[in-house]
Every structure is written in structure tokens, then in C-alpha cells.
Amino acid sequence: MKVRLNDDAEVVRMVREGLKAKGGYCPCVREVNEDTRCMCREFREQIADPEFEGYCHCMLYYKEK
């Protein structure tokens, strides 16, 4: 398993700006709680699934099998 940043530098820049503006919380959701702190609970659960391959909700990270 490997988790890497999105290859698109513009996406990475935009998401990182959003994270900075929201104090490390997912810029793509309205809720601000521990479940939405980057790396969010949703993506951590996806990482735990050995069959999952794909991007996190914000498209900042990509999990390879």
C-alpha cells in the first residue's frame, strides 16, 4: 500500500490553501470536527480497506494498492 499526493500540483496547492484557511480541517466539507481533520476519518477508513484504490474526498491524497 502506498499513499501519495495528487500528481496535479494545482489541486495540491488549492487544497493546501483550503486546509490552511480552515486550520487543518477538510476544506471540502462544512463540519469542523476530528472526523474532518486532514487526513480525514473517511480516507483513513478507505486506507484500511485493502481493496480500495483511489483519491480522498478532496483529491489531495491517492491510495495505491
Side-chain angles (χ1 to χ4, degrees):
M1 179 208 46
K2 180 179 176 183
V3 176
R4 61 175 173 80
L5 286 175
N6 189 323
D7 292 332
D8 186 329
E10 182 64 13
V11 169
V12 172
R13 184 191 65 76
M14 288 176 30
V15 174
R16 283 185 168 167
E17 284 179 6
L19 285 167
K20 185 176 179 180
K22 285 188 75 177
Y25 293 91
C26 181
C28 303
V29 296
R30 298 178 112 180
E31 298 86 18
V32 174
N33 59 48
E34 285 309 306
D35 290 344
T36 62
R37 187 160 189 77
C38 189
M39 184 175 286
C40 69
R41 185 178 125 219
E42 177 184 3
F43 193 56
R44 289 191 311 265
E45 289 173 355
Q46 289 171 325
I47 289 171
D49 178 357
E51 297 303 311
F52 175 79
E53 182 169 355
Y55 287 101
C56 69
H57 180 80
C58 295
M59 296 192 65
L60 178 61
Y61 295 108
Y62 185 83
K63 181 206 171 198
E64 298 174 356
K65 285 187 188 180

